[in-house]
Amino acid sequence: MRKDFLWGGAVAAHQVEGGYDKGHKGLSIADVLTAGDVHTPREITDGIQEGKFYPNHEGIKFYDHYKEDIQMFREMGFKCLRTSIAWSRIFPKGDEKDPNEEGLKFYDDLFDCMLENGMQPVITLSHFEMPYYLVKEYGGWRNRKMIDFFYNFCKVVLDRYQNKVKYWMTFNEINNQMLVENDLYPFTNSGIIFEKDEDRLPVVYQAVHYQFVASALVTEYAHKLNSNIQTGCCVAATPNYPNSTNPDDILLAQSEDRKLLMFTDVQIRGHYPNYLLNEWKNNGYQFDITDQDLEVMAKGTVDYLGFTYYMSNTVSADPNVKKLGDDLQGNYAVDNQYLKTTDWGWAIDPKGLRYIMNMYQDRYEIPMFIVENGFGYADKFEDGKIHDQNRIEYLKAHIEEMKKAIEEDGCDCIGYTVWGCIDPISFTTGEMKKRYGFIYVDRNNDGSGSYKRYKKDSFYWYKKVIETNGEEL
Ligand code: P53
């Protein structure tokens, strides 16, 4: 393992900060999402409504507690901490000319605190938290104007933090919105609310195109601004396995993989792949794509491939094989008899991490950064102790496979950040009890609790991992 390997943790502004109306922050899309659970989807409400519960409003109060939390990350020896900037703290509505100084000051202090404690900030510019006003007023990323609004926001924060932040990412898990049948993903990625009976896929492709242009513009700007800056893309890397050796399953897995690979193909290679252009042609889709857009996309390619990894997906083309019927896995997903799942139905597959790392290395030959990996579990709190051996096992198995990918296969990987290093609000369900952290936060699903922090067993385990640069697992 390289000596400068970036061990650390990851969170996102809206899942931890709370303080949703503090410091003149505007409402973000995360502020109109209610709480659900493994069986109940989160509701997207029309603004904030009386009597509904919005778990992100309080988060885990990182906004007020971050100094204490960063001390604990330091104790584990974090080399970096990934978080995001809440766009609506900087531009409360999103279309203003001038930024909100109070919001900028908050991130100045936060990044200083990280640096003083020996960890570099790794920053996502948009992690499911665009200003809600842009959704209501402009239709979110349906609208080309988003490119300018996002670009302005990014210019402001890049200018301001260029000497504090080296690693940036533009859009978190930009590929998730391909799950168009589920209302949540197009909303959180792009602020899209579908009309009744609307043909959803082309709407999302158009939004994705605007995001590609915006991401490329920002990347190019960052490169000109400061040659030290590294800008990455970010995808949720869920590889697809064929359920059988039937060539129909093999072809299906390949075409499902393309829904993921199209994003890195564009953001790394700088142009649309032929399979995608052909799909658009065959479907008669016509998009607002200008020659100038294509030039911008060709110039603003990313420096590294950021990806999150939680699970693999197994697909079957056979109508007689029972499908899982879970929106997150798509229409063809089936149970994989070789893999166990978490209590939230996510297939636990450490070898899938090695597999996807190799796929990326072969295809792109640029550095990769594993920016999320983690285990969601309803931890038991007993006398101030949390014995989360199952989380340790999960992380250990994944780190082992990552090391094989690096040391045996030659993958170029610069870092690994564990998702939800301090228990956050779950994104997909809005629950608190789906915990990920090395640090337990005493908050319940309904928002009650002392918000006190406790170290889990995994805290001490991860400290050792970092100390030995991944030798002792
Ligand atoms: P929660 C799908 C597949 C893989 C990762 O999720 C995903 C998703 C959902 O879009 O999301 C990432 O909290 C995301 C985080 C999120 C984390 O996974 O639902 O970047 O914001 O919290 C874990 O268990």
Side-chain angles (χ1 to χ4, degrees), residues 15 127-128 172-173 176 185 236 238 308 310-311 328 346 372 419 425-429 434 436:
Q15 286 170 275
H127 191 136
F128 307 162
N172 183 60
E173 295 185 336
N176 279 355
Y185 304 106
T238 303
T308 74
Y310 291 87
M311 63 192 133
L328 187 58
W346 293 18
E372 285 180 35
W419 171 254
I425 304 291
S426 157
F427 162 62
T428 49
T429 70
K434 189 181 186 188
Y436 283 88

Side-chain angles (χ1 to χ4, degrees), residues 75-76 455-465:
E75 215 182 309
M76 279 186 276
K455 295 168 190 167
K456 302 182 194 176
D457 288 359
S458 58
F459 182 99
Y460 304 98
W461 171 81
Y462 196 48
K463 180 177 184 336
K464 192 52 104 9
V465 173

Side-chain angles (χ1 to χ4, degrees), residues 183-202:
D183 291 342
L184 185 64
Y185 304 106
F187 182 68
T188 44
N189 279 69
S190 290
I192 288 175
I193 297 169
F194 292 111
E195 282 152 32
K196 204 164 166 280
D197 301 326
E198 190 170 22
D199 188 2
R200 294 181 168 203
L201 192 57

